[in-house]
Amino acid sequence: FFLGSAWLPVAIFLLVAVEVWFIFAPMILGYRKTRLQGEERARIVIGNTDEYKARVQQAGTDAQGAAQKNIVEPAKPRYTFQSIHGMDDLKRRLLDAGRPVVQRAKNSTEIPRNGILFSGDPGNGKTFIAEALAGELGVKFLVLDHGKAVSQWVGETPRNIARAFQQAREAGPCVLFLDEVDSFITSRDGASNQLAEGANIVNVLLTELVNIRSFPVLVIAATNRLNKLDPAAIREGRFDYKIEIPAPDEPARLGLL
């Protein structure tokens, strides 16, 4: 009984300690697990934030590089009208339209008509004829197509178009050729231009077509789908000449043979 009485408080203490452990141990361990999970989530968030910052910084670098690159490159034409057999009436009309623009005096207040819109079936040589006209006029030839101007960044495509026209003004006298212009100025009533970006592209291009008339830059555009163009784009004041490029005439076919 003496020994039992002496160890009774110890036994009670141990029983109480075990009870307390079973009550509070899950709470302590759960808190520690939650804290560790929180720290892990924090590391993931910080890592993702750093990755996001790096991507934003890279995007800014890419955009800055795009702003500095040339959208259109002035090039010496490889052809003249001597490279084209026949088509005499077409050659005469193009020279009559192009000479006043590229030969315009620098300080002249008279603004000649500008803008030649080529239409016709694919394969009739619209790009070839435009380059040959630049060669015949003795000026540089610049090409702007959709692939050069389009960008994945919102607002960058309209800026690229404006930049291309600025580069053409700096390169003048020259011919600026807009290849497949229907990819730029499709009708604003169509589904493809219901987004703000599409409307901005059309608006910027139409504005540039007007502003460039004060410079010795002959604008030529080509399309296979004349009926798909925005009506405001093909009116007088933007494209004053609308010329259908026909299939080669008889002298041209004989020359090709």
Side-chain angles (χ1 to χ4, degrees):
F1 176 79
F2 175 76
L3 292 175
S5 300
W7 284 98
L8 184 60
V10 176
I12 295 174
F13 174 77
L14 291 175
L15 289 174
V16 172
V18 170
E19 187 70 22
V20 169
W21 169 256
F22 280 109
I23 293 174
F24 291 100
M27 299 173 58
I28 297 172
L29 295 176
Y31 170 76
R32 178 173 176 76
K33 181 178 180 182
T34 303
R35 188 183 68 179
L36 291 176
Q37 290 175 342
E39 292 175 354
E40 181 65 21
R41 284 196 296 268
R43 283 194 295 270
I44 294 174
V45 170
I46 292 172
N48 289 343
T49 301
D50 292 340
E51 180 183 356
Y52 174 75
K53 289 180 179 178
R55 291 176 63 184
V56 170
Q57 185 177 5
Q58 183 62 40
T61 302
D62 293 344
Q64 184 178 7
Q68 295 173 352
K69 73 175 182 179
N70 287 334
I71 306 300
V72 290
E73 294 285 351
K76 182 179 179 180
R78 298 166 294 176
Y79 314 108
T80 66
F81 279 171
Q82 291 182 353
S83 308
I84 303 176
H85 299 282
M87 315 291 283
D88 293 334
D89 182 63
L90 176 64
K91 295 175 184 177
R92 178 188 55 78
R93 293 174 63 192
L94 292 177
L95 284 175
D96 289 345
R99 279 198 181 111
V101 176
V102 299
Q103 295 177 358
R104 176 176 179 266
K106 185 175 182 180
N107 298 324
S108 175
T109 57
E110 182 180 353
I111 298 178
R113 300 174 71 192
N114 200 343
I116 303 175
L117 180 60
F118 286 170
S119 61
D121 295 332
N124 281 0
K126 292 184 282 293
T127 303
F128 173 67
I129 292 172
E131 185 172 356
L133 176 58
E136 192 70 19
L137 295 171
V139 298
K140 294 180 284 292
F141 185 61
L142 297 81
V143 179
L144 174 63
D145 57 36
H146 192 260
K148 293 180 180 179
V150 70
S151 172
Q152 62 179 326
W153 308 111
V154 175
E156 188 65 20
T157 301
R159 285 193 291 271
N160 286 343
I161 294 173
R163 195 176 301 122
F165 274 80
Q166 177 60 35
Q167 291 165 359
R169 287 191 286 268
E170 295 171 355
C174 64
V175 169
L176 175 61
F177 180 63
L178 310 179
D179 196 14
E180 297 181 351
V181 71
D182 43 88
S183 61
F184 292 113
I185 51 177
T186 52
S187 175
R188 283 171 288 187
D189 295 332
S192 62
N193 269 307
Q194 292 186 3
L195 295 177
E197 181 79 351
N200 288 340
I201 292 172
V202 176
N203 292 334
V204 167
L205 186 55
L206 298 189
T207 299
E208 293 293 341
L209 288 171
V210 173
N211 293 341
I212 207 165
R213 288 173 169 261
S214 300
F215 297 84
V217 178
L218 176 63
V219 178
I220 303 177
T223 180
N224 301 327
R225 303 184 298 171
L226 187 61
N227 61 327
K228 297 295 184 180
L229 297 182
D230 190 297
I234 59 177
R235 66 171 176 79
E236 296 287 326
R238 292 194 172 100
F239 289 102
D240 292 334
Y241 303 94
K242 298 157 185 80
I243 298 178
E244 182 178 359
I245 304 299
D249 57 16
E250 184 177 351
R253 294 195 296 271
L254 291 174
L256 291 172
L257 293 174

